[in-house]
């Protein structure tokens, strides 16, 4: 289906050429079962169906197409500093300039950054555009001395700490998967934990409903959120364990 929605104009052109080639052979004196009539009807139905599909595609808001296009990993090309979607070059991705104050030292990065805060670790915004319209700003983080790159996960308060996460059907997670395909590795997995020897994967919720269910069990405004980094790291580790338990179907 994605191939047809991305190349509907080409498909219509092919069918119209075939229609033009068959039309001279259509004769009112021939029975309806004649090959020319059969092809004439089939091509007419095909052209009509593509027109309907094209109309529906054009009615879809650009924001709703972004995720689908990002998951079409091989459909993107790069020109200079801009990625563009080949089937519809109006969709582009490029770095934004308003990125100077973005955080890259949250709990989930601390085990990778260590003491090298100023050596290759950084954060910036990528803008997803439709023409000149900015559809989405995506917060991207470089860590482990700039060797690793991920989309910064969203977060919610859990007790006095935070849970960092992706939502699987979001544009942000689609771009995270785009980065995985581009780099050949998923840097959101097997991240070194802050102040501990083991590693973790950034939690992924199936959709907003699953996130809401999780937060109904664990979430809420922090009673007295801590600014102590060691305590933040400890609470972060506890919240990762709560997520694991949630996925396995029980509550701690």
């Amino acid at each position: 289906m994605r191939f047809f929605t991305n190349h509907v104009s080409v498909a219509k052109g092919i069918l119209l050429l075939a229609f033009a080639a068959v039309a001279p052979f259509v004769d009112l004196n021939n029975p309806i079962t004649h090959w020319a009539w059969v092809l004439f009807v089939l091509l007419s139905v095909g052209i009509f169906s593509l027109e309907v599909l094209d109309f529906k595609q054009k009615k879809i808001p650009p924001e709703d197409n972004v995720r689908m296009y990002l998951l079409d990993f091989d459909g993107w090309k790069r020109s200079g500093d801009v990625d563009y979607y080949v089937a519809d070059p109006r969709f582009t991705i490029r770095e934004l300039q308003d990125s100077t104050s973005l955080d890259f030292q949250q709990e989930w990065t601390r085990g990778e950054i260590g003491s090298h805060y100023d050596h290759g670790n950084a954060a910036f915004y990528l803008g997803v555009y439709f023409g000149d319209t900015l559809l989405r700003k995506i917060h991207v983080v470089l860590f482990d001395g700039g060797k690793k790159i991920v989309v910064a996960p969203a977060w919610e308060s859990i007790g006095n700490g935070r849970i960092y996460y992706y939502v699987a059907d979001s544009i942000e997670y689609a771009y995270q998967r785009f980065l995985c395909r581009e780099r050949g590795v998923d840097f959101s997995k097997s991240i070194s934990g802050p102040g501990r020897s083991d590693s973790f994967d950034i939690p992924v919720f199936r959709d907003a409903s699953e996130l809401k269910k999780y937060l109904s069990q664990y979430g809420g405004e922090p009673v007295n959120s801590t600014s102590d980094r060691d305590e933040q790291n400890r609470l972060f580790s506890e919240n990762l364990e709560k997520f694991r338990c949630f996925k396995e179907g029980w509550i701690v």
Side-chain angles (χ1 to χ4, degrees), residues 193-207:
R196 58 196 183 117
S197 58
D198 54 338
S199 61
F200 67 93
D201 299 344
I202 293 177
V204 180
F205 291 97
R206 181 179 62 253
D207 51 31

Side-chain angles (χ1 to χ4, degrees), residues 12-110:
K12 280 196 299 183
I14 293 172
L15 288 186
L16 286 170
L17 287 174
F19 186 87
V22 169
F25 297 96
V26 176
D27 191 327
L28 293 176
N29 295 322
N30 290 333
I32 194 67
T33 55
H34 188 270
W35 67 268
W37 275 110
V38 172
L39 284 178
F40 182 84
V41 171
L42 290 175
L43 289 170
S44 298
V45 171
I47 292 169
F48 176 77
S49 299
L50 287 176
E51 286 290 350
V52 172
L53 179 60
D54 194 24
F55 175 77
K56 289 182 177 179
Q57 278 295 105
K58 289 176 180 176
K59 294 284 286 184
I60 297 174
E63 295 89 341
D64 294 343
N65 279 324
V66 169
R67 179 177 176 274
M68 179 177 68
Y69 292 165
L70 284 172
L71 294 176
D72 181 19
F73 309 113
D74 297 324
W76 292 81
K77 299 291 184 182
R78 176 168 283 267
S79 176
D81 295 328
V82 177
D83 290 312
Y84 66 94
Y85 190 55
V86 176
D88 190 346
R90 294 174 297 176
F91 287 89
T92 59
I93 303 171
R94 55 185 183 268
E95 187 173 344
L96 301 179
Q97 300 303 314
D98 58 340
S99 304
T100 54
S101 61
L102 284 179
D103 192 2
F104 59 87
Q105 299 179 24
Q106 295 171 321
E107 296 93 314
W108 63 274
T109 62
R110 290 175 185 169

Side-chain angles (χ1 to χ4, degrees), residues 150-211:
V150 299
V151 172
W155 62 269
E156 295 285 348
S157 297
I158 302 292
N160 292 330
R162 294 177 174 182
I163 177 73
Y164 293 87
Y165 65 88
Y166 296 126
V167 177
D169 61 358
S170 67
I171 291 174
E172 287 76 9
Y173 191 61
Y175 191 71
Q176 171 59 24
R177 292 176 62 187
F178 184 93
L179 287 175
C180 296
R181 177 64 174 265
E182 182 180 63
R183 303 303 172 100
V185 60
D186 188 349
F187 291 122
S188 73
K189 299 183 181 298
S190 300
I191 298 174
S192 297
R196 58 196 183 117
S197 58
D198 54 338
S199 61
F200 67 93
D201 299 344
I202 293 177
V204 180
F205 291 97
R206 181 179 62 253
D207 51 31
S209 296
E210 187 179 47
L211 173 62

